Amino acid sequence: MPTVAVELAESAIGDIEEIRDWYAAEQVQEVGERLVTEIFDRIESLTTHPEMGRVVPEFDVDWLRELIHPPFRIVYKRESERVRIVRVWRSQRLLKLSAEA
């Protein structure tokens, strides 16, 4: 099965760092570490199944998809040769893309 490259935008890296920091500040660092590991496991699955996420409802375009990993949304752009993770946000947040995405 062919694979695609997965890249993380700076915005997604910042989101993941904020998740880890928030749980550490709440004195449940192990929960944050576990969630970040699970998020990376979900992202890794996109290398072989880039179409597995659903279309982001706010935009309704096929190339912008998301994986739901409660309580987070892993939002990514599907391109021909790669997947670019653009945000990792709490599920209840509405998506607004930056120019970097």
Side-chain angles (χ1 to χ4, degrees), residues 9-66:
E10 287 294 321
S11 54
I13 293 168
D15 293 339
I16 292 168
E17 289 171 350
E18 286 178 19
I19 291 166
R20 184 175 297 158
D21 293 347
W22 188 87
Y23 282 96
E26 294 296 312
Q27 298 182 7
V28 286
Q29 183 173 351
E30 66 281 355
V31 174
E33 295 295 332
R34 179 180 50 82
L35 283 169
V36 167
T37 297
E38 291 172 357
I39 288 167
F40 277 110
D41 289 345
R42 293 284 285 164
I43 289 170
E44 181 68 24
S45 66
L46 292 171
T47 62
T48 54
H49 302 290
E51 302 293 330
M52 72 187 288
R54 72 177 187 174
V55 171
V56 175
E58 293 95 316
F59 293 92
D60 196 30
V61 291
D62 189 53
W63 53 266
L64 189 63
R65 297 177 168 267
E66 67 184 352

